[in-house]
Amino acid sequence: MKFTKYLALAFAGLFAITSCTDDDDTSLAAFLTVTEAGSGSTGGAISISQGESLSFAIDARKGDSDMETFAISVSGVNTVNPIPTSLQGNSFPYKLSNADDETYLDTVVFVSAGNNIGNTVYTFTVTDKDGNTDEVSFNVTVDAGTTALSSPSAFTWTRVGGDDATGLGQFGLKWTSNSATSAIVALDAGTKMVELTSADWSSISTQEDLASAISSGTAVTEYRGVSSSANGTYNDVLGVSYNGESFILNITQGAVTTGTAGTTITINGEYKN
């Protein structure tokens, strides 16, 4: 009798332990991966340039229960409403069909993601039939980006006798006099000019970097690098800001000739903007 009593108590304890374990069980939620195609990022902070788009590849897999819905929310400077239709033709929030409730693969493209400079948060959420969720977010910063300088173009500045030189106007420069040794290239009103290094001609490759170099450089009021009496080769580089546009000039040659009209000085080089 005592053995039977102890056996009943043991079964009761085992039932209690099993019941407690069942109460603590939680079902495994769906597993979600979202990959942004351009950066390869699977979540977190990324940056794009103004005008770029975003393409998100979705890979959602069921856990213990079939998946129920898939939702996308967007907040920030590039908020879009409604959310774009996916490449599979689904609108969001999407109540997953039977074909997608175990594995859902799709792609969503935000064409206007780079319209405005600033931050936008993209959040992707999958919910299963038990109410469990998995979520992936991207904090996307749109910056102004950079603009490459133009290819080099040739320029020629010519001064004949005592006349004003030609060819300098587009840069906001003027050449109206010479010293005994040098041509004097001066500034029109509103022009800033700085002397750069010869290496800057190749190393400065964007309009933004050029504007920064001119802004931070020491302004000069004139350039006297070309001889007014002898031919010469040069590798002088100038940065010029005029009427809101920046130019980088590479002065490469000076030629001096004497004729019936007096001394003619020609300065040749290239520019990028």
Side-chain angles (χ1 to χ4, degrees):
M1 291 294 292
K2 288 184 178 180
F3 175 79
T4 303
K5 179 180 179 181
Y6 291 148
L7 185 60
L9 290 173
F11 276 113
L14 180 60
F15 178 80
I17 293 171
T18 304
S19 298
C20 290
T21 302
D22 289 343
D23 289 343
D24 291 339
D25 278 349
T26 56
S27 60
L28 181 65
F31 180 75
L32 174 62
T33 301
V34 181
T35 305
E36 197 286 305
S39 62
S41 172
T42 54
I46 61 175
S47 295
I48 62 174
S49 297
Q50 192 169 20
E52 289 188 24
S53 61
L54 290 170
S55 178
F56 294 102
I58 299 164
D59 184 341
R61 312 282 173 142
K62 66 170 286 187
D64 288 341
S65 298
D66 288 345
M67 297 179 292
E68 181 81 11
T69 59
F70 194 92
I72 303 173
S73 65
V74 182
S75 62
V77 298
N78 287 300
T79 297
V80 59
N81 188 24
I83 301 297
T85 301
S86 76
L87 296 190
Q88 298 294 337
N90 299 314
S91 299
F92 299 96
Y94 170 41
K95 183 173 176 56
L96 295 164
S97 66
N98 289 338
D100 291 331
D101 61 8
E102 294 187 1
T103 301
Y104 174 46
L105 305 176
D106 210 340
T107 300
V108 181
V109 179
F110 290 85
V111 176
S112 59
N115 279 5
N116 303 305
I117 295 172
N119 295 320
T120 305
V121 177
Y122 299 79
T123 302
F124 302 81
T125 305
V126 61
T127 304
D128 68 17
K129 294 182 183 298
D130 293 331
N132 299 308
T133 63
D134 195 13
E135 184 175 282
V136 176
S137 290
F138 295 81
N139 188 348
V140 180
T141 299
V142 179
D143 56 41
T146 58
T147 304
L149 289 174
S150 64
S151 298
S153 297
F155 69 78
T156 298
W157 303 339
T158 304
R159 185 166 189 257
V160 179
D163 295 340
D164 293 348
T166 59
L168 294 84
Q170 76 177 103
F171 308 113
L173 303 175
K174 57 185 177 182
W175 173 16
T176 61
S177 64
N178 303 323
S179 71
T181 58
S182 303
I184 302 174
V185 177
L187 312 180
D188 281 335
T191 303
K192 180 179 180 180
M193 180 168 65
V194 300
E195 294 183 353
L196 301 173
T197 69
S198 58
D200 288 332
W201 175 251
S202 298
S203 65
I204 295 177
S205 59
T206 68
Q207 293 178 4
E208 292 75 18
D209 286 345
L210 176 56
S212 177
I214 295 172
S215 176
S216 61
T218 301
V220 296
T221 58
E222 57 186 30
Y223 165 72
R224 296 190 178 210
V226 175
S227 173
S228 60
S229 60
N231 297 339
T233 56
Y234 307 93
N235 191 19
D236 295 340
V237 178
L238 303 173
V240 175
S241 176
Y242 176 62
N243 277 349
E245 189 169 6
S246 298
F247 300 88
I248 186 168
L249 312 175
N250 185 19
I251 296 166
T252 58
Q253 186 181 46
V256 181
T257 59
T258 302
T260 56
T263 300
T264 298
I265 305 174
T266 302
I267 299 175
N268 292 311
E270 294 183 315
Y271 73 91
K272 295 181 283 187
N273 63 339

